[in-house]
Amino acid sequence: MSSLLRSLTDEVRPEYRLFAVASVIDGQLVGSAVDGEMDPPDERVAAGHDGLIIRTAYYGDVLHTIHNGFERWDGPPPVDDWEELWTGRLSLRSELIGAEPWAADYLNPHRMEFDLGQGDTTWSTRVTTKILRTEQEPGFPNAFARIELYKIQFWV
C-alpha cells in the first residue's frame, strides 16, 4: 500500500473559472499552462508541459475561493470517493509547483510553493474534486453555500 510522503493545502481565487498548477523556477510560475501555449480545457482539465489548467465547477459572476490539496505519494494513492477529473503523466522541470488564477500576472511572485522532492521528472498525476454544499442562508452570498476542493496527487 502506498504512503503519503508530504502534503500542503492552499487556496486560490480562479479567474474566468480557471486556475493553473505549474512549475516554479526562481519564484515564477513557468510552462505551457501559464505562458499562453495552452488553451483552456473544453472539459475540466488540460495538461501541457510543466503544468495543468483546471476549470472550476461553478458558473456565474461570483468570484469564489477554491481549496487545493497537493500530495506527494511513494506509489499510486488509494482511490477515494472524490470525483476523478483527470489522470495522466505530467512532466515538470522543477521540484517546486504552485497554483494561481489562470489570467493572473505571472511576473509577480506567488505565495505558495509545494516541494515534490525532485525536478526534471515525469509524474503520474491525478486531479480529483469534491464539492461541499450547505443550505444557502438568506442575505448571504451563494459562495458561502458551496466550497470546491481539489486534490492534485503526484507519484513516480
Side-chain angles (χ1 to χ4, degrees):
M1 177 165 208
S2 300
S3 297
L4 180 64
L5 299 175
R6 60 181 66 143
S7 65
L8 176 71
T9 303
D10 191 36
E11 357 178 288
V12 65
R13 293 178 61 97
E15 293 180 13
Y16 309 106
R17 291 183 53 218
L18 300 167
F19 67 98
V21 174
S23 285
V24 176
I25 296 177
D26 295 330
Q28 306 291 325
L29 270 70
V30 299
S32 59
V34 296
D35 291 339
E37 299 169 15
M38 286 174 57
D39 290 326
D42 291 330
E43 297 296 323
R44 297 289 302 277
V45 179
H49 180 70
D50 268 334
L52 304 167
I53 300 173
I54 301 172
R55 182 181 306 277
T56 63
Y58 287 103
Y59 298 94
D61 58 358
V62 176
L63 183 65
H64 63 289
T65 301
I66 58 104
H67 302 270
N68 291 310
F70 295 94
E71 298 178 349
R72 166 72 161 93
W73 290 78
D74 64 0
V79 175
D80 56 24
D81 64 345
W82 289 44
E83 178 187 358
E84 185 173 315
L85 299 179
W86 182 82
T87 298
R89 304 283 289 163
L90 184 64
S91 294
L92 297 171
R93 283 183 271 176
S94 175
E95 69 275 5
L96 301 175
I97 59 167
E100 288 293 327
W102 180 65
D105 177 6
Y106 294 107
L107 298 178
N108 293 323
H110 59 286
R111 60 187 173 90
M112 186 283 298
E113 293 179 355
F114 179 65
D115 188 347
L116 290 167
Q118 64 190 65
D120 292 318
T121 302
T122 299
W123 296 91
S124 293
T125 307
R126 180 167 53 209
V127 178
T128 59
T129 188
K130 187 175 206 174
I131 298 173
L132 306 177
R133 293 181 178 95
T134 62
E135 291 184 33
Q136 183 173 354
E137 191 65 36
F140 287 89
N142 193 32
F144 294 136
R146 66 178 181 257
I147 297 172
E148 289 187 61
L149 306 176
Y150 291 86
K151 279 195 289 193
I152 299 104
Q153 300 169 311
F154 299 90
W155 67 99
V156 178

